[in-house]
Amino acid sequence: MTRDEIQARVQEVLAEVLGIDEDEVTPRATLTGDLGAESIDFLDIVFRLEQAFDIKIEQGELFPENLQQDATYVQDGVLTEAGLAALREKLPHAEVDAIEADPRLGRVGEIFTVDAMTNFVERKLGAAA
Amino acid sequence: MRWLWIDRILALEPGKRLVARKAVSLSEPHLHQHFPATETEPAMPVVPGPLIIEGMAQAGGLLAGHARGFKDDVVLAKLRKAELGFEVQPGAVIEFEATLVAIDDSGASVDGIVRVLDPAWDSPKELGAIDLMFAHVPAERDSLLIAEAFRTLIAGSVQAGGDGVDQMVV
């Protein structure tokens, strides 16, 4: 599967999950800010990507888990250096650079763009091949 | 589930599929308000769409709850799609077929098909599709309030020969 094919299918899935038109799902759009995703939508996205690409996504693999509960990662509502490093390590598909200059916890949603979803699936399919 | 909105479970395939039915009766008081007669129009009692969604949510919620041994509360978290094609009148029976798409510690995804059996028709008609997401949350003590009604539903469904429903006895 080429990246273009993966991206087209990812766009289809996101449009279905979020109830929006496919042409709104542009590669640079963020899931929360631009496309209006809420927390339950993240689980929906995981389930639908699993189905669409016949892959298994573990909890915490696509989106972070229990980030704010770890004091070494988050202090006073801001991600620490360790927190940013952990995100980069655990979620290599995400665009952590986008929030590096202002890493407030509330901005974490911005690291999940449509491109990041495509990156994730591409890595996942690549690893399985 | 704080109140039961299905009458019988016809079939259960654990972790896969559940089929339930709800008979619609004019003795349900809300039907007299939905919609009452006006000066120019006669009354038009039809089942409100949200209550059709509630039936699917209960069928899907029971399927998801059973799949994990009812250890969490299963809370309706998202209505992804609800497409209903026509009005349902008293005297009809609504059938909910829920299929489990995926389930994990966080929640479950259920796709549903709704059919209507009306005495005026020769065969059931497909009313539409309702797709739902549920979140798993720690069980609350007051969720037991419904337990007796739930046991009544299961017992009645088993007695009526519901396929696989005996696996739901708790």
Side-chain angles (χ1 to χ4, degrees), chain A residues 21-42:
Chain A
D21 289 337
E22 264 182 61
D23 55 16
E24 289 181 60
V25 189
T26 57
R28 300 307 305 151
T30 61
L31 301 190
T32 48
D34 295 327
L35 304 182
E38 296 176 24
S39 59
I40 191 69
D41 295 318
F42 288 103

Side-chain angles (χ1 to χ4, degrees), chain B:
Chain B
M1 209 158 55
R2 309 283 162 154
W3 47 293
L4 274 184
W5 195 243
I6 48 182
D7 298 322
R8 189 183 292 180
I9 299 170
L10 269 69
L12 168 70
E13 289 175 55
K16 286 186 185 159
R17 172 178 162 270
L18 184 143
V19 183
R21 281 188 183 177
K22 153 85 184 141
V24 180
S25 168
L26 193 54
S27 63
E28 294 165 26
H30 57 267
L31 292 179
H32 297 267
Q33 302 301 319
H34 192 271
F35 297 91
T38 64
E39 281 177 20
T40 54
E41 299 288 332
M44 188 179 71
V46 294
V47 181
L51 290 177
I52 298 175
I53 294 168
E54 173 66 25
M56 182 58 77
Q58 295 199 3
L62 286 171
L63 175 63
H66 178 263
R68 290 166 54 89
F70 296 107
K71 67 174 176 167
D72 320 288
D73 278 351
V74 178
V75 177
L76 179 61
K78 175 178 173 180
L79 174 61
R80 186 191 306 105
K81 177 167 87 175
E83 293 170 353
L84 304 173
F86 52 87
E87 303 290 4
V88 182
Q89 296 179 301
V93 170
I94 308 176
E95 182 171 285
F96 304 99
E97 177 167 359
T99 302
L100 193 64
V101 175
I103 188 164
D104 71 8
D105 287 344
S106 311
S109 176
V110 169
D111 284 357
I113 298 290
V114 189
R115 295 179 202 91
V116 175
L117 297 79
D118 191 299
W121 307 334
D122 293 336
S123 57
K125 284 185 191 169
E126 189 165 309
L127 176 61
I130 298 174
D131 297 347
L132 307 165
M133 289 288 297
F134 296 93
H136 290 137
V137 300
E140 280 179 36
R141 203 160 47 103
D142 66 355
S143 57
L144 294 172
L145 285 174
I146 195 68
E148 197 54 44
F150 173 68
R151 276 192 281 270
T152 304
L153 168 68
I154 303 300
S157 299
V158 170
Q159 283 156 24
D163 191 16
V165 184
D166 53 343
Q167 298 180 65
M168 233 176 197
V169 175
V170 287

Side-chain angles (χ1 to χ4, degrees), chain A residues 26-84:
Chain A
T26 57
R28 300 307 305 151
T30 61
L31 301 190
T32 48
D34 295 327
L35 304 182
E38 296 176 24
S39 59
I40 191 69
D41 295 318
F42 288 103
L43 183 62
D44 201 1
I45 290 167
V46 167
F47 285 161
R48 295 284 158 176
L49 288 178
E50 285 186 330
Q51 205 181 24
F53 293 99
D54 194 22
I55 52 178
K56 177 78 193 124
I57 303 172
E58 301 300 332
Q59 281 192 357
E61 195 181 347
L62 177 56
F63 301 112
E65 206 177 22
N66 302 328
L67 193 68
Q68 62 274 38
Q69 286 160 20
D70 192 325
T72 57
Y73 292 163
V74 179
Q75 279 166 14
D76 301 326
V78 178
L79 282 156
T80 61
E81 278 300 318
L84 287 168

